Amino acid sequence: MRRIAIAVAASTMTLSLAGCGVLDATGDGASASPTKGDDVTIGLLLPEKANTRYDKFDYPIIKNKVAELTHKKGKVEYANADADAARQAGQLQQMIDDKVDVILLDAVDSHAIAGQVKKAKDAGIPVIAYDRLAEGPIDAYISFDNELVGEVQGRSLLEALGSNADTSDKVVMVNGSPTDPNAKQFKQGALSELNGKVTLADTFDTPDWKPENAQAEMTEAINKIGKNNIAGVYAANDGMAGGVIKALKAAGVTSLPPITGQDSELDAVQRVIGGEQYMSVYKSYPDEAEAAAQMAVTKVQGKDIQFDALTQDKVDSPTAKDIPSKLVQVSALTKDSIKDTVLADGIYTIGEICTPKYKAACAAIGLK
Ligand code: GAL
């Protein structure tokens, strides 16, 4: 909890608009006619557990922020679908039955959930798409700039391949789940950097983002391309980068090619320091999660001016146009930027990262 408290404090500083009151949901100024007081219930539906971000950051940060915005009177009802779209549909139904005031939805399957979104809407419950753009009549969307995530990954991979990179370099692409619209955007962003510069020797879309599925795909790619002919691997997130590394090691590869990732999970940050993974993408979970909590609370409290100030971007989904949105920026995490990202934001401490196994590697890059 201490870690989250630090993270929350750090990001409150970065959300500078909140400091001058424009986005302050607890401020009295901008509320036209609040429909609800502080006793709000926010339903939070998160997609999976294989990736550590959801239970470790998204949920606790949202919960703390809702408490802060509602003088500790607001509640968060949380359900995690464990990568099961049908289970998530049931969880959403439960929230409709429980008459929560607003739903934050991070969809397992953004298309399949559209019918449930409509049901919530018909029951008078606003739905805000969280991180992944759910289809159906959603009220708003908060996410990172997902195309930028892919661009940062693609650019970093080229940088790792060095100035001699050319189309004889064979790259394997391990993308995320086909039911997650973000995965498509990560891929598009990465392809915009990689196309024409390297050869994409094998490409996969990985069911459920599961590390073990990524490992099986990588084993298939190694058998097809040859273990010594792989110049680099685009892995869309850290969990899958872990699976890719297992497959390469199991095939007897001793000098690993550059491998990308995303999420700055603790293991991945350690792998970056130890030289097994070239990079990850740092996404400030406090920036995303706190803005989501603010959007949800201002929405149910009818604080329209603040809600509009929070959602100045516009995006389209396959079923809706001009969805009020907020897209948060991201940056690359490499050996050189650990201090400015996960450490600066208090996501991890040096003690957590630089365990005995990584002490020497940490010292070599000035982390002690
Ligand atoms: C994406 C999300 C990533 C990662 C991935 C795997 O939608 O943006 O941060 O968590 O899912 O769950």
Side-chain angles (χ1 to χ4, degrees):
M1 281 329 280
R2 183 177 52 86
R3 192 167 48 233
I4 297 304
I6 300 168
V8 167
S11 88
T12 311
M13 287 185 292
T14 54
L15 266 181
S16 54
L17 273 181
C20 50
V22 180
L23 308 179
D24 183 2
T26 59
D28 303 320
S31 72
S33 52
T35 47
K36 266 242 147 192
D38 282 336
D39 58 333
V40 296
T41 303
I42 286 151
L44 173 65
L45 292 158
L46 296 181
E48 55 138 304
K49 294 186 173 161
N51 188 305
T52 54
R53 61 169 283 188
Y54 302 108
D55 280 341
K56 211 167 161 199
F57 297 113
D58 298 88
Y59 168 50
I61 296 171
I62 289 173
K63 195 169 136 202
N64 286 346
K65 191 67 185 177
V66 167
E68 182 196 317
L69 294 170
T70 58
H71 308 95
K72 302 213 165 97
K73 297 206 181 77
K75 283 195 300 274
V76 174
E77 188 177 316
Y78 170 46
N80 187 305
D82 211 0
D84 182 335
R87 184 179 304 167
Q88 188 169 61
Q91 291 170 335
L92 205 158
Q93 185 58 50
Q94 187 63 50
M95 289 183 180
I96 298 173
D97 296 345
D98 292 348
K99 299 194 169 46
V100 301
D101 296 305
V102 57
I103 293 174
L104 284 170
L105 167 65
D106 193 342
V108 175
D109 185 325
S110 59
H111 179 70
I113 201 75
Q116 286 298 96
V117 172
K118 172 139 194 327
K119 268 201 198 165
K121 194 74 188 162
D122 292 347
I125 303 172
V127 179
I128 298 172
Y130 182 69
D131 201 79
R132 302 178 184 173
L133 186 54
E135 293 182 21
I138 58 165
D139 291 84
Y141 172 53
I142 162 84
S143 190
F144 293 98
D145 183 335
N146 294 311
E147 188 125 356
L148 177 65
V149 170
E151 286 167 20
V152 166
Q153 292 170 318
R155 238 177 279 146
S156 298
L157 190 57
L158 292 178
E159 166 193 296
L161 293 173
S163 46
N164 305 331
D166 64 39
T167 46
S168 67
D169 284 326
K170 295 197 167 92
V171 165
V172 176
M173 200 174 202
V174 179
N175 298 295
S177 162
T179 63
D180 175 354
N182 292 356
K184 225 172 277 155
Q185 288 185 292
F186 302 148
K187 184 174 173 178
Q188 258 164 25
L191 286 175
S192 73
E193 297 289 331
L194 298 174
N195 269 339
K197 310 246 176 59
V198 294
T199 295
L200 293 170
D202 218 350
T203 299
F204 303 90
D205 294 316
T206 312
D208 302 329
W209 286 96
K210 290 216 164 110
E212 57 270 32
N213 294 341
Q215 185 177 348
E217 291 163 354
M218 191 63 209
T219 304
E220 193 184 314
I222 294 167
N223 291 338
K224 177 169 150 190
I225 306 163
K227 67 172 178 166
N228 298 319
N229 298 329
I230 297 167
V233 183
Y234 168 89
N237 80 355
D238 291 336
M240 299 198 305
V244 163
I245 292 169
K246 278 194 189 152
L248 287 164
K249 285 186 174 170
V253 175
T254 46
S255 163
L256 293 169
I259 299 159
T260 65
Q262 165 181 198
D263 288 327
S264 298
E265 294 198 337
L266 184 55
D267 313 10
V269 174
Q270 291 174 323
R271 288 194 298 259
V272 168
I273 292 171
E276 289 195 321
Q277 183 174 326
Y278 180 70
M279 64 86 69
S280 182
V281 174
Y282 176 60
K283 302 162 96 170
S284 167
Y285 300 121
D287 282 0
E288 182 186 41
E290 290 183 1
Q294 286 179 312
M295 279 162 71
V297 172
T298 52
K299 183 78 193 166
V300 269
Q301 292 185 335
K303 292 180 172 168
D304 298 343
I305 295 174
Q306 289 148 342
F307 183 81
D308 291 348
L310 277 162
T311 52
Q312 304 228 313
D313 299 321
K314 292 269 174 292
V315 304
D316 295 342
S317 81
T319 60
K321 291 256 166 303
D322 293 332
I323 301 162
S325 304
K326 177 177 172 72
L327 299 181
V328 179
Q329 294 304 296
V330 302
S331 59
L333 177 142
T334 57
K335 277 185 189 175
D336 301 331
S337 54
I338 289 171
K339 269 193 194 139
D340 300 336
T341 53
V342 285
L343 287 175
D345 276 7
I347 301 294
Y348 310 119
T349 61
I350 291 201
E352 285 169 306
I353 299 173
C354 300
T355 52
K357 186 173 169 199
Y358 294 97
K359 270 248 145 61
C362 276
I365 54 167
L367 296 184
K368 39 183 182 309

